[in-house]
Amino acid sequence: MIDTQNIHVQKIENSKIGQVDFNNIPFGKVYSDHMFMADYAEGDWKNLNINPYAPIEMSPANPSLHYGVSIFEGLKAYKHENGDVAVFRPDKNLERLNFSARRMCMPELDESVYYDGLDTLLALDKQWVPSVPGTALYIRPFVISDDDYIGVTPSVNFKFMIITCPVGAYYAKPVRVKIETEFVRAVKGGSGACKTGCNYGPTLYPAQLAKSQGYDQLIWTDGREHKYVEESGTMNLMFIINGKLVTPETGDSILNGITRRSVIELAQAWGVEVEERKVEVAEVMAAIKDGSLQEAFGAGTAATIAHIEVIAYEGKDYTLPDIAKREFSNKVLKELDDIKYGNKEDQFGWLRKI
Ligand SMILES: *Cc1c(COP(=O)(O)O)cnc(C)c1O
């Protein structure tokens, strides 16, 4: 059912779907047929429309290009066995998009614009939600400036867009991570808790350096002392230490991940003790050495759960316990997948059916 009351829909003439090999999808390179767009001008969201996916025009003086005035989200839609399409916790993404908007002097999004856009776009491109096990449709909502003014000042015109791309089965390989003690991602008082473009560009160089040293990702530490572990690239960081789920508390410098929150809520429902607090690098290293660290993983929309196999610190690699023996992270990964793919009752009300 496509509600076109508020949205002007221009359908594509010839769908590109026939050209896609759903068994072999390169991440982030294949986009579905349509995109959603709305304009913000004179204090209101307006001109809601869906068009064939295509390049957009903008002024070369657009502040998003020069100063990182942009915010984004990442979420996924899953195909169920009965053909239903369900989006995982989109309400949390809207909340976080509006949190980012306030920090970046950008307008908050109306709930109706967000859901009308999301629902109509997904209904139109429903066949783009892949059904091969492990695959999903990645959804990227974002807001950019639409000003033609190069001054460093809040913009007045904006564009909200949603683009989507099918993504392949993400068989998350266990990762090797390096505890970063030189470069900084975020600090107290900064914008690290926002999904804003300007947080990611500066992480590419330290991540590339870690890659060249044989690591998949970094574990960022606090920007003042490099004393506390914070998070990992695009995933939050979680540990099982002495049977407890221990994770750095969120704040200015740690992204408030929806996967992280979901893992915590499941752990609590299962009676697992959860500690959200500052976690010292020294504590993690001591727990590795005395054997009380049982599991370590990253939590994020892309991989859901990425087991950490090796942690490097001060030039030395530490190998963590056998992945097969990691009871909690394996169980929570399966539970989240079962809920997302509709194989288990959605008892928390996390799914939005399209
Ligand atoms: C998006 C993101 C996460 C994970 O958040 P989810 O909502 O679970 O996808 C973690 N850290 C950073 C820096 C991110 O950008």
Short mmCIF file of all heavy atoms in Angstrom, two decimals, residues 37-78:
data_model
loop_
_atom_site.label_atom_id
_atom_site.label_comp_id
_atom_site.label_asym_id
_atom_site.label_seq_id
_atom_site.Cartn_x
_atom_site.Cartn_y
_atom_site.Cartn_z
N MET A 37 13.08 12.36 -0.74
CA MET A 37 13.68 13.67 -0.45
C MET A 37 12.62 14.63 0.06
O MET A 37 11.48 14.61 -0.39
CB MET A 37 14.30 14.23 -1.74
CG MET A 37 15.26 15.37 -1.50
SD MET A 37 15.83 16.13 -3.02
CE MET A 37 16.71 14.82 -3.81
N ALA A 38 13.01 15.46 1.05
CA ALA A 38 12.13 16.54 1.51
C ALA A 38 12.99 17.77 1.74
O ALA A 38 14.17 17.66 2.05
CB ALA A 38 11.43 16.13 2.80
N ASP A 39 12.39 18.94 1.57
CA ASP A 39 13.11 20.20 1.76
C ASP A 39 12.69 20.86 3.05
O ASP A 39 11.52 20.78 3.44
CB ASP A 39 12.79 21.18 0.62
CG ASP A 39 13.28 20.68 -0.72
OD1 ASP A 39 14.40 20.14 -0.77
OD2 ASP A 39 12.53 20.82 -1.71
N TYR A 40 13.64 21.54 3.68
CA TYR A 40 13.32 22.38 4.83
C TYR A 40 13.60 23.82 4.44
O TYR A 40 14.72 24.18 4.06
CB TYR A 40 14.20 21.99 6.02
CG TYR A 40 13.88 22.74 7.29
CD1 TYR A 40 12.92 22.26 8.18
CD2 TYR A 40 14.54 23.93 7.60
CE1 TYR A 40 12.63 22.93 9.35
CE2 TYR A 40 14.25 24.62 8.77
CZ TYR A 40 13.30 24.11 9.63
OH TYR A 40 13.01 24.78 10.79
N ALA A 41 12.56 24.63 4.47
CA ALA A 41 12.71 26.05 4.15
C ALA A 41 11.66 26.84 4.92
O ALA A 41 10.57 26.31 5.18
CB ALA A 41 12.54 26.28 2.64
N GLU A 42 11.98 28.06 5.28
CA GLU A 42 11.07 28.93 6.04
C GLU A 42 10.49 28.21 7.27
O GLU A 42 9.31 28.34 7.58
CB GLU A 42 9.92 29.44 5.15
CG GLU A 42 10.35 30.52 4.18
CD GLU A 42 10.01 30.16 2.74
OE1 GLU A 42 9.12 29.31 2.53
OE2 GLU A 42 10.69 30.69 1.85
N GLY A 43 11.36 27.38 7.90
CA GLY A 43 10.94 26.76 9.16
C GLY A 43 10.05 25.55 9.05
O GLY A 43 9.50 25.10 10.05
N ASP A 44 9.90 24.99 7.85
CA ASP A 44 9.03 23.82 7.67
C ASP A 44 9.61 22.77 6.73
O ASP A 44 10.28 23.13 5.77
CB ASP A 44 7.71 24.29 7.04
CG ASP A 44 6.57 24.23 8.03
OD1 ASP A 44 6.62 23.33 8.90
OD2 ASP A 44 5.66 25.08 7.93
N TRP A 45 9.26 21.52 7.00
CA TRP A 45 9.57 20.46 6.04
C TRP A 45 8.49 20.44 4.98
O TRP A 45 7.29 20.46 5.30
CB TRP A 45 9.64 19.09 6.76
CG TRP A 45 10.87 18.99 7.61
CD1 TRP A 45 10.94 19.06 8.96
CD2 TRP A 45 12.21 18.79 7.15
NE1 TRP A 45 12.23 18.94 9.39
CE2 TRP A 45 13.04 18.77 8.29
CE3 TRP A 45 12.81 18.65 5.89
CZ2 TRP A 45 14.43 18.59 8.21
CZ3 TRP A 45 14.19 18.49 5.82
CH2 TRP A 45 14.98 18.46 6.96
N LYS A 46 8.87 20.40 3.71
CA LYS A 46 7.89 20.45 2.62
C LYS A 46 8.45 19.72 1.39
O LYS A 46 9.54 19.16 1.45
CB LYS A 46 7.56 21.89 2.28
CG LYS A 46 8.79 22.77 2.00
CD LYS A 46 8.45 24.24 1.84
CE LYS A 46 8.38 24.95 3.17
NZ LYS A 46 8.20 26.40 3.07
N ASN A 47 7.68 19.75 0.31
CA ASN A 47 8.09 19.12 -0.97
C ASN A 47 8.53 17.67 -0.80
O ASN A 47 9.61 17.30 -1.25
CB ASN A 47 9.24 19.89 -1.64
CG ASN A 47 8.94 21.35 -1.83
OD1 ASN A 47 7.77 21.74 -1.92
ND2 ASN A 47 9.98 22.17 -1.87
N LEU A 48 7.71 16.87 -0.13
CA LEU A 48 8.07 15.46 0.03
C LEU A 48 7.95 14.77 -1.32
O LEU A 48 6.90 14.86 -1.96
CB LEU A 48 7.13 14.79 1.04
CG LEU A 48 7.42 15.02 2.53
CD1 LEU A 48 7.39 16.48 2.91
CD2 LEU A 48 6.45 14.21 3.38
N ASN A 49 9.03 14.13 -1.75
CA ASN A 49 8.92 13.43 -3.03
C ASN A 49 9.82 12.21 -3.12
O ASN A 49 10.83 12.10 -2.41
CB ASN A 49 9.17 14.39 -4.20
CG ASN A 49 10.54 15.01 -4.15
OD1 ASN A 49 11.52 14.32 -4.45
ND2 ASN A 49 10.65 16.26 -3.76
N ILE A 50 9.40 11.30 -3.97
CA ILE A 50 10.19 10.10 -4.26
C ILE A 50 10.48 10.11 -5.74
O ILE A 50 9.58 10.32 -6.56
CB ILE A 50 9.43 8.82 -3.84
CG1 ILE A 50 9.43 8.71 -2.31
CG2 ILE A 50 10.05 7.58 -4.48
CD1 ILE A 50 8.66 7.53 -1.77
N ASN A 51 11.76 9.92 -6.06
CA ASN A 51 12.19 9.94 -7.46
C ASN A 51 13.11 8.77 -7.72
O ASN A 51 13.63 8.17 -6.78
CB ASN A 51 12.96 11.24 -7.74
CG ASN A 51 12.02 12.43 -7.89
OD1 ASN A 51 11.15 12.43 -8.74
ND2 ASN A 51 12.19 13.40 -7.02
N PRO A 52 13.35 8.45 -9.00
CA PRO A 52 14.37 7.44 -9.28
C PRO A 52 15.70 7.86 -8.66
O PRO A 52 16.03 9.05 -8.65
CB PRO A 52 14.45 7.45 -10.81
CG PRO A 52 13.09 7.89 -11.25
CD PRO A 52 12.66 8.90 -10.22
N TYR A 53 16.44 6.89 -8.12
CA TYR A 53 17.75 7.16 -7.52
C TYR A 53 18.65 7.82 -8.57
O TYR A 53 18.83 7.28 -9.67
CB TYR A 53 18.37 5.85 -7.03
CG TYR A 53 19.72 6.05 -6.39
CD1 TYR A 53 19.84 6.31 -5.04
CD2 TYR A 53 20.89 5.99 -7.16
CE1 TYR A 53 21.07 6.51 -4.46
CE2 TYR A 53 22.13 6.20 -6.59
CZ TYR A 53 22.22 6.45 -5.24
OH TYR A 53 23.44 6.66 -4.66
N ALA A 54 19.19 8.96 -8.22
CA ALA A 54 20.02 9.70 -9.20
C ALA A 54 20.86 10.74 -8.45
O ALA A 54 20.54 11.09 -7.32
CB ALA A 54 19.12 10.40 -10.22
N PRO A 55 21.90 11.26 -9.10
CA PRO A 55 22.67 12.35 -8.48
C PRO A 55 21.77 13.55 -8.22
O PRO A 55 20.78 13.76 -8.90
CB PRO A 55 23.72 12.68 -9.54
CG PRO A 55 23.85 11.46 -10.37
CD PRO A 55 22.48 10.84 -10.39
N ILE A 56 22.14 14.34 -7.20
CA ILE A 56 21.38 15.55 -6.91
C ILE A 56 22.26 16.77 -7.19
O ILE A 56 23.49 16.68 -7.17
CB ILE A 56 20.91 15.60 -5.44
CG1 ILE A 56 22.09 15.45 -4.46
CG2 ILE A 56 19.89 14.50 -5.20
CD1 ILE A 56 21.74 15.76 -3.03
N GLU A 57 21.62 17.88 -7.40
CA GLU A 57 22.35 19.12 -7.66
C GLU A 57 22.51 19.91 -6.37
O GLU A 57 21.60 19.94 -5.56
CB GLU A 57 21.56 19.99 -8.63
CG GLU A 57 21.97 19.77 -10.06
CD GLU A 57 21.34 20.79 -11.00
OE1 GLU A 57 20.94 21.88 -10.55
OE2 GLU A 57 21.27 20.45 -12.19
N MET A 58 23.63 20.56 -6.20
CA MET A 58 23.76 21.49 -5.07
C MET A 58 24.76 22.58 -5.40
O MET A 58 25.58 22.44 -6.31
CB MET A 58 24.14 20.75 -3.80
CG MET A 58 25.48 20.07 -3.83
SD MET A 58 25.96 19.49 -2.20
CE MET A 58 24.84 18.12 -1.96
N SER A 59 24.67 23.63 -4.62
CA SER A 59 25.60 24.75 -4.80
C SER A 59 27.00 24.32 -4.40
O SER A 59 27.18 23.63 -3.39
CB SER A 59 25.16 25.91 -3.91
OG SER A 59 26.27 26.75 -3.65
N PRO A 60 28.03 24.73 -5.15
CA PRO A 60 29.41 24.43 -4.73
C PRO A 60 29.75 25.08 -3.39
O PRO A 60 30.71 24.68 -2.74
CB PRO A 60 30.27 25.03 -5.85
CG PRO A 60 29.36 25.18 -7.01
CD PRO A 60 27.99 25.42 -6.45
N ALA A 61 28.95 26.05 -2.96
CA ALA A 61 29.19 26.72 -1.68
C ALA A 61 28.42 26.05 -0.54
O ALA A 61 28.37 26.57 0.57
CB ALA A 61 28.81 28.19 -1.78
N ASN A 62 27.80 24.90 -0.81
CA ASN A 62 27.01 24.21 0.22
C ASN A 62 27.88 23.92 1.46
O ASN A 62 28.91 23.27 1.36
CB ASN A 62 26.47 22.90 -0.37
CG ASN A 62 25.51 22.21 0.57
OD1 ASN A 62 25.78 22.07 1.75
ND2 ASN A 62 24.39 21.77 0.02
N PRO A 63 27.47 24.41 2.65
CA PRO A 63 28.26 24.22 3.87
C PRO A 63 28.47 22.75 4.25
O PRO A 63 29.43 22.44 4.96
CB PRO A 63 27.44 24.92 4.96
CG PRO A 63 26.54 25.84 4.23
CD PRO A 63 26.27 25.22 2.89
N SER A 64 27.62 21.84 3.79
CA SER A 64 27.85 20.42 4.08
C SER A 64 29.16 19.95 3.48
O SER A 64 29.87 19.13 4.06
CB SER A 64 26.70 19.57 3.54
OG SER A 64 25.50 19.92 4.17
N LEU A 65 29.47 20.48 2.29
CA LEU A 65 30.70 20.08 1.61
C LEU A 65 31.93 20.64 2.30
O LEU A 65 32.97 20.01 2.35
CB LEU A 65 30.68 20.58 0.15
CG LEU A 65 29.55 20.06 -0.73
CD1 LEU A 65 29.62 20.73 -2.09
CD2 LEU A 65 29.63 18.56 -0.87
N HIS A 66 31.79 21.83 2.87
CA HIS A 66 32.96 22.52 3.42
C HIS A 66 33.18 22.27 4.90
O HIS A 66 34.31 22.18 5.36
CB HIS A 66 32.83 24.03 3.16
CG HIS A 66 32.75 24.36 1.71
ND1 HIS A 66 33.86 24.59 0.94
CD2 HIS A 66 31.68 24.43 0.87
CE1 HIS A 66 33.49 24.82 -0.31
NE2 HIS A 66 32.17 24.72 -0.38
N TYR A 67 32.09 22.18 5.66
CA TYR A 67 32.23 22.18 7.13
C TYR A 67 31.63 20.96 7.81
O TYR A 67 31.50 20.93 9.03
CB TYR A 67 31.59 23.45 7.70
CG TYR A 67 32.06 24.71 7.00
CD1 TYR A 67 31.16 25.59 6.43
CD2 TYR A 67 33.44 24.96 6.87
CE1 TYR A 67 31.61 26.72 5.75
CE2 TYR A 67 33.88 26.08 6.19
CZ TYR A 67 32.97 26.96 5.62
OH TYR A 67 33.42 28.07 4.95
N GLY A 68 31.24 19.98 7.03
CA GLY A 68 30.69 18.76 7.65
C GLY A 68 29.34 18.95 8.29
O GLY A 68 29.00 18.26 9.24
N VAL A 69 28.56 19.90 7.77
CA VAL A 69 27.20 20.09 8.28
C VAL A 69 26.31 18.99 7.69
O VAL A 69 25.66 19.15 6.68
CB VAL A 69 26.64 21.48 7.88
CG1 VAL A 69 25.23 21.66 8.41
CG2 VAL A 69 27.55 22.58 8.40
N SER A 70 26.36 17.84 8.33
CA SER A 70 25.55 16.71 7.84
C SER A 70 25.34 15.73 8.98
O SER A 70 26.21 15.58 9.84
CB SER A 70 26.26 16.01 6.67
OG SER A 70 27.36 15.26 7.13
N ILE A 71 24.19 15.11 8.98
CA ILE A 71 23.91 14.06 9.98
C ILE A 71 23.30 12.88 9.24
O ILE A 71 22.70 13.04 8.17
CB ILE A 71 22.97 14.56 11.10
CG1 ILE A 71 21.68 15.14 10.53
CG2 ILE A 71 23.68 15.61 11.96
CD1 ILE A 71 20.67 15.57 11.60
N PHE A 72 23.47 11.69 9.80
CA PHE A 72 22.95 10.50 9.11
C PHE A 72 22.55 9.43 10.10
O PHE A 72 22.86 9.51 11.28
CB PHE A 72 23.98 9.97 8.11
CG PHE A 72 25.24 9.42 8.75
CD1 PHE A 72 25.35 8.07 9.05
CD2 PHE A 72 26.30 10.25 9.06
CE1 PHE A 72 26.50 7.56 9.63
CE2 PHE A 72 27.46 9.75 9.65
CZ PHE A 72 27.57 8.40 9.93
N GLU A 73 21.88 8.43 9.58
CA GLU A 73 21.51 7.25 10.36
C GLU A 73 21.76 6.01 9.53
O GLU A 73 21.97 6.09 8.31
CB GLU A 73 20.02 7.32 10.77
CG GLU A 73 19.79 8.13 12.03
CD GLU A 73 20.58 7.57 13.22
OE1 GLU A 73 20.78 6.34 13.31
OE2 GLU A 73 21.02 8.38 14.06
N GLY A 74 21.75 4.86 10.18
CA GLY A 74 21.91 3.59 9.48
C GLY A 74 21.02 2.56 10.16
O GLY A 74 21.12 2.37 11.37
N LEU A 75 20.12 1.96 9.38
CA LEU A 75 19.25 0.92 9.94
C LEU A 75 18.96 -0.09 8.84
O LEU A 75 19.39 0.09 7.70
CB LEU A 75 17.97 1.53 10.54
CG LEU A 75 16.98 2.28 9.68
CD1 LEU A 75 15.65 2.42 10.43
CD2 LEU A 75 17.46 3.67 9.32
N LYS A 76 18.27 -1.16 9.19
CA LYS A 76 18.06 -2.21 8.19
C LYS A 76 16.63 -2.71 8.17
O LYS A 76 15.95 -2.73 9.20
CB LYS A 76 18.97 -3.41 8.48
CG LYS A 76 20.42 -3.22 8.04
CD LYS A 76 21.23 -4.45 8.42
CE LYS A 76 22.65 -4.38 7.90
NZ LYS A 76 23.43 -5.52 8.43
N ALA A 77 16.20 -3.14 6.97
CA ALA A 77 14.92 -3.82 6.80
C ALA A 77 15.20 -5.27 6.45
O ALA A 77 16.14 -5.57 5.70
CB ALA A 77 14.10 -3.15 5.69
N TYR A 78 14.38 -6.16 7.01
CA TYR A 78 14.60 -7.60 6.85
C TYR A 78 13.38 -8.24 6.20
O TYR A 78 12.24 -7.86 6.48
CB TYR A 78 14.83 -8.24 8.22
CG TYR A 78 16.03 -7.64 8.93
CD1 TYR A 78 15.89 -6.50 9.72
CD2 TYR A 78 17.30 -8.20 8.78
CE1 TYR A 78 17.00 -5.93 10.35
CE2 TYR A 78 18.40 -7.63 9.41
CZ TYR A 78 18.24 -6.50 10.19
OH TYR A 78 19.33 -5.93 10.82
#
